[in-house]
Amino acid sequence: SFTGTAGLNPTYGSLQKLHARDTDLIALCEDKVVQILADKDAVFEADGNPQLTATNRVLGQSRPFVGEYGISNNPESFASESYRAYFTDKVRGAVMRLSKDGLTPISEAGMKDYFRDNLKNNSLLIGSYDDKKEEYNITLNRLHKTVSYKEDVKGWVSFKSFTPENAISCANEYYTFKQGNLWRHHHEQADR
């Protein structure tokens, strides 16, 4: 447990997702993404006791990332890989990447109109990261489409026919879940 608070501005909307990254937390609110310093050393005066107590269990200063983007009400669109995180901002019609250089609307890489038109019509936006193919997959449930973004080409590389209810990478394998069944992708002996 942590002591202290990181006072988030109420104009950022409700907190939808917390993500631990190195020595900080990323708070994804409806209308803003905020970095909260965590696990830093702090000194407190103990209640009613003249002694000072040191602790590193503190949530510290919160700093919003530059850009007017949040995760709307779709925390299920969030996926992370190494130091990068991906998510959608349905309200603004954008797919976002949070990296060391801050927030980037990756939907603008040739798919700006597509996402602006289609994110708003989907109630469920399932995000996942495929470690094997090194792609962020975003599933638009109502369209029955999954679209893939690849970092090394800085663009959207594929429309896929699978529409999972959830997906995860584990031990460099990519798995999706549909109607209670587990599907392993990229298997050499699989019928295509």
Side-chain angles (χ1 to χ4, degrees):
S1 69
F2 284 91
T3 57
T5 61
L8 295 176
N9 188 329
T11 63
Y12 298 164
S14 66
L15 176 63
Q16 294 289 311
K17 170 104 178 136
L18 277 177
H19 175 65
R21 187 180 76 169
D22 293 331
T23 59
D24 59 10
L25 290 173
I26 303 299
L28 292 106
C29 301
E30 289 178 68
D31 299 312
K32 199 74 167 168
V33 180
V34 179
Q35 176 185 30
I36 302 171
L37 301 179
D39 205 25
K40 306 292 188 259
D41 290 331
V43 178
F44 292 94
E45 183 175 322
D47 291 344
N49 191 334
Q51 296 177 345
L52 296 177
T53 303
T55 183
N56 64 351
R57 297 179 349 176
V58 173
L59 293 179
Q61 177 186 8
S62 63
R63 296 182 296 186
F65 286 96
V66 175
E68 298 303 316
Y69 296 99
I71 198 168
S72 299
N73 288 303
N74 299 98
E76 74 279 2
S77 70
F78 182 88
S80 67
E81 182 276 326
S82 188
Y83 57 88
R84 288 186 292 263
Y86 303 89
F87 58 93
T88 61
D89 186 337
K90 182 177 170 177
V91 170
R92 291 161 189 84
V95 181
M96 303 299 300
R97 178 188 65 216
L98 174 61
S99 189
K100 290 180 180 178
D101 59 353
L103 287 169
T104 304
I106 60 174
S107 51
E108 291 185 5
M111 297 281 283
K112 183 177 182 177
D113 290 340
Y114 177 84
F115 286 113
R116 186 185 59 226
D117 294 343
N118 290 303
L119 287 180
K120 64 185 171 193
N121 297 324
N122 286 270
S123 58
L124 198 59
L125 301 165
I126 305 294
S128 62
Y129 192 83
D130 182 342
D131 282 343
K132 193 166 246 181
K133 294 284 187 175
E134 297 180 338
E135 296 173 347
Y136 170 66
N137 292 323
I138 184 68
T139 299
L140 293 84
N141 69 323
R142 195 161 183 212
L143 292 177
H144 303 290
K145 296 270 189 235
T146 296
V147 188
S148 300
Y149 179 85
K150 196 164 180 71
E151 283 294 332
D152 63 356
V153 297
K154 302 284 186 227
W156 297 92
V157 296
S158 183
F159 280 86
K160 298 180 176 171
S161 60
F162 64 87
T163 55
E165 294 164 350
N166 209 335
I168 189 168
S169 282
C170 181
N172 205 33
E173 295 290 344
Y174 184 63
Y175 300 94
T176 59
F177 304 86
K178 183 78 170 187
Q179 297 177 339
N181 293 312
L182 173 68
W183 300 89
R184 180 175 152 196
H185 291 246
H186 320 306
H187 192 276
E188 293 176 13
Q189 282 78 39
D191 291 333
R192 299 189 185 271

